[in-house]
Amino acid sequence: IADLPMEVDDDMLKQVFSEYGTVTWSRVLDSGGKPNKAAIVEFADIEEAKWCVENLDGNIPQGLSSAACRQRLPSLTRQQCR
């Protein structure tokens, strides 16, 4: 997930994305001096992950006040979905 607001931390990330499915693992990545953050969110079910990618891409997830998120499935998961 990219383009997250700078105020997002690990707890907030899990709280926001738990609204869309069972989060089994998540991590906010260091911004490296960029004006926004990125993160990885792993869901318990592939359908939950696919729903997030399809429905939240370019939108603001509920619980965040700014910054559209771009999400993608890792290539391995994308292959499993076919």
Side-chain angles (χ1 to χ4, degrees):
I1 303 168
D3 298 333
L4 291 169
M6 291 300 288
E7 68 266 12
V8 173
D9 62 14
D10 288 328
D11 291 334
M12 183 178 189
L13 180 73
K14 187 170 183 176
Q15 179 182 357
V16 167
F17 284 92
S18 288
E19 295 294 320
Y20 300 102
T22 304
V23 175
T24 57
W25 184 85
S26 60
R27 168 88 33 100
V28 175
L29 306 172
D30 183 26
S31 68
K34 295 178 183 174
N36 48 43
K37 290 184 177 181
I40 299 170
V41 177
E42 185 177 290
F43 290 92
D45 182 79
I46 188 67
E47 294 304 318
E48 295 170 340
K50 285 171 46 177
W51 188 94
C52 282
V53 170
E54 293 166 1
N55 293 280
L56 297 180
D57 187 27
N59 296 307
I60 300 172
Q62 188 173 3
L64 295 181
S65 59
S66 63
C69 295
R70 293 180 309 229
Q71 297 126 10
R72 63 181 177 82
L73 291 172
S75 25
L76 177 63
T77 305
R78 203 175 307 131
Q79 290 171 353
Q80 291 172 340
C81 295
R82 293 180 183 165

